[in-house]
Amino acid sequence: MITKAEIFYLNHIDELMKLNYFIYKNPELGNKEIKARDAHIDILEKKNFQIEKEFVGIKTAFKATYTSKKDGPKIAFLAEYDALPKIGHGCGHNILGTASTGAGLILKEFVDELGGEVIVIGTPAEESDGAKVDMAKAGIFKDIDIVMSAHPTGEFHMESGSSQAMEAIRFKYYGKTAHAAGAPHLGINALDGIITLFNSVNAMRQQICETDRIHGIITNGGEAANIIPDFSSADFYIRSSSDKELKILSERVKKCAEGAALATGTKLEIENYEYSFKDLRTNKKLSEVYTKNLKLLGIKDIKKGKKAGSTDMGDVSYCCPVIHPSFPISEGKLIGHSIEFAQASITEKAYEGMKEAILSMVMTSVDIIKDKNLLQEIKDEFIKNKN
Ligand SMILES: [Zn+2]
Ligand SMILES: [Zn+2]
């Protein structure tokens, strides 16, 4: 039997496919997603959503709201649409955003009768300075009852899992140039600062948790082999299973950096070069409802959620109940951040996965609007896990 949600979905599928393909064909880096932003707004505006441009002061962000005349929960879908350098939509944010706008359009068809408010928020730059961090800091999620978005992945649906809290730290060492053969004793080698830092971090790895990750690159290692480098720098990502543990781990890495400066006589500067992300705290009750609805759609093989990697959805999950499950876009395995991943995001299989994710997000929303106790259970869990 075809459900109401499926009928509504069929009414929107053409414009959703067009939106996905357009964004795939026009990849834009974080905070430069002008075409993608306008394409989302165009569709939502035509369907009578109230549009707030440059939401929270971010040029390529937006908020689209549809409020029904009846009271009810506020349910938000977050649309990402940033691409990656050189590989375009290798993370599939074209289809992630399309799924969120799709869920918003379809849920809107229900709320006049059932009550509530539907919100689609355009959240730029997930791959770098995630806009959700600014939005969380501005407190915009505090009066929203539920937030959902679904990420594309390889071959299976995956429940909403957790992600690693992450800090992006840059280490800069300053020394003094000298002729590397003629007068090396008069120089202070900034590159030695960086090399000692890497060695100290590597020695520390034996005493860190399995869920911790420390990975860096040297971004400046000197100018010429015959000059003692007076400047060198490295960019690191440091990740741990929770925000609290991340703070401890970051401090340990910073101590390694300070020790390296002391050992080499260099001067050290430490700064954050991108936003830090909190870990994702999936609301288990909300996730159960989403998974139940996937099963109602006939999907049997649903895998447990991921643990590795980081996302700015983490910051949202500290503000209100959140799920961030994944839907399949390919018949086989896919490597994230690859050209193959981008190509998979416009295939028939991708549209099948997207449809299932959209329908399940909409059915979950309808369940919550209809059942006040369910919403209360979800909120109670959020409050209990808040600290
Ligand atoms: Zn990514
Ligand atoms: Zn992604």
Side-chain angles (χ1 to χ4, degrees):
M1 195 188 75
I2 190 154
T3 62
K4 235 180 178 180
E6 276 174 283
I7 296 166
F8 293 142
Y9 179 81
L10 291 174
N11 292 341
H12 292 294
I13 180 62
D14 287 349
E15 59 191 341
L16 292 177
M17 282 171 76
K18 247 190 238 163
L19 174 67
N20 183 47
Y21 189 72
F22 174 78
I23 297 174
Y24 168 80
K25 277 284 187 192
N26 294 279
E28 298 162 302
L29 296 181
N31 290 323
K32 296 198 170 107
E33 316 99 317
I34 289 166
K35 288 180 186 166
R37 171 201 67 191
D38 291 347
H40 278 275
I41 288 178
D42 251 15
I43 294 180
L44 291 157
E45 209 165 26
K46 275 187 201 134
K47 297 292 184 295
N48 299 325
F49 278 76
Q50 291 293 318
I51 308 292
E52 210 178 309
K53 288 184 182 164
E54 298 198 14
F55 186 50
V56 198
I58 299 165
K59 204 171 141 213
T60 55
F62 70 86
K63 184 183 183 189
T65 311
Y66 181 82
T67 313
S68 74
K69 291 194 177 70
K70 277 167 111 176
D71 274 355
K74 293 182 180 182
I75 295 173
F77 305 103
L78 305 190
E80 294 169 12
Y81 31 69
D82 59 324
L84 291 156
K86 294 190 183 155
I87 53 170
H89 277 290
C91 207
H93 293 177
N94 50 325
I95 197 161
L96 185 160
T98 303
S100 290
T101 282
L105 293 175
I106 294 160
L107 183 60
K108 186 210 155 218
E109 312 258 11
F110 283 92
V111 295
D112 281 332
E113 195 191 321
L114 298 177
E117 187 169 295
V118 188
I119 303 161
V120 179
I121 302 174
T123 59
E126 194 277 337
E127 299 286 359
S128 49
D129 279 334
K132 298 184 202 82
V133 176
D134 291 306
M135 293 178 185
K137 271 191 199 141
I140 68 118
F141 297 110
K142 283 195 178 129
D143 73 329
I144 295 178
D145 293 287
I146 303 292
V147 168
M148 288 186 268
S149 87
H151 200 292
T153 187
E155 52 191 331
F156 298 107
H157 279 277
M158 290 170 87
E159 290 174 4
S160 183
S162 57
S163 69
Q164 291 163 309
M166 181 193 77
E167 187 172 8
I169 305 183
R170 176 167 295 153
F171 298 98
K172 299 198 281 195
Y173 286 87
Y174 296 89
K176 200 172 148 204
T177 61
H179 195 295
H185 57 291
L186 298 178
I188 298 171
N189 194 328
L191 179 61
D192 280 344
I194 291 285
I195 292 170
T196 309
L197 163 64
F198 271 85
N199 287 334
S200 302
V201 167
N202 286 339
M204 198 177 86
R205 289 187 197 279
Q206 198 188 358
Q207 280 76 46
I208 63 174
C209 296
E210 268 176 51
T211 44
D212 293 339
R213 296 282 184 279
I214 308 166
H215 43 106
I217 56 164
I218 297 175
T219 49
N220 197 312
E223 297 301 326
N226 61 358
I227 307 169
I228 301 285
D230 65 344
F231 177 71
S232 74
S233 60
D235 285 356
F236 275 76
Y237 284 116
I238 301 164
R239 308 183 200 236
S240 193
S241 55
S242 74
D243 204 39
K244 215 167 149 190
E245 284 174 56
L246 175 67
K247 287 201 170 76
I248 298 166
L249 186 65
S250 289
E251 276 316 304
R252 291 176 69 193
V253 176
K254 285 177 190 171
K255 289 282 176 230
C256 289
E258 285 164 18
L262 198 63
T264 56
T266 49
K267 278 209 178 75
L268 168 68
E269 273 177 19
I270 300 176
E271 63 191 31
N272 287 107
Y273 64 96
E274 276 172 8
Y275 285 179
S276 302
F277 291 168
K278 289 185 170 34
D279 52 301
L280 175 70
R281 292 172 164 182
T282 282
N283 188 285
K284 291 205 174 67
K285 188 70 211 172
L286 181 58
S287 177
E288 267 170 43
V289 183
Y290 178 86
T291 304
K292 175 210 78 178
N293 283 316
L294 274 183
K295 286 181 182 161
L296 282 178
L297 292 168
I299 298 143
K300 290 185 187 88
D301 209 355
I302 303 162
K303 304 288 181 204
K304 289 270 165 242
K306 282 184 233 177
K307 286 200 173 92
S310 305
T311 168
D312 58 358
M313 273 301 269
D315 290 67
V316 185
S317 74
Y318 274 67
C319 306
C320 65
V322 162
I323 54 165
H324 191 39
S326 305
F327 63 90
I329 59 168
S330 118
E331 299 287 354
K333 282 195 172 62
L334 271 181
I335 298 168
H337 290 197
S338 66
I339 289 173
E340 293 72 29
F341 198 101
Q343 287 164 343
S345 73
I346 50 161
T347 57
E348 218 172 286
K349 179 72 192 165
Y351 288 119
E352 206 181 294
M354 180 184 86
K355 176 185 172 185
E356 290 157 356
I358 289 177
L359 290 179
S360 192
M361 285 195 278
V362 170
M363 288 153 76
T364 300
S365 308
V366 169
D367 285 346
I368 288 162
I369 297 171
K370 282 183 173 169
D371 185 350
K372 280 198 179 117
N373 292 335
L374 176 60
L375 179 59
Q376 197 52 51
E377 245 184 276
I378 289 167
K379 287 187 163 185
D380 287 347
E381 181 191 320
F382 172 73
I383 290 162
K384 199 176 129 216
N385 293 337
K386 215 173 168 191
N387 299 311

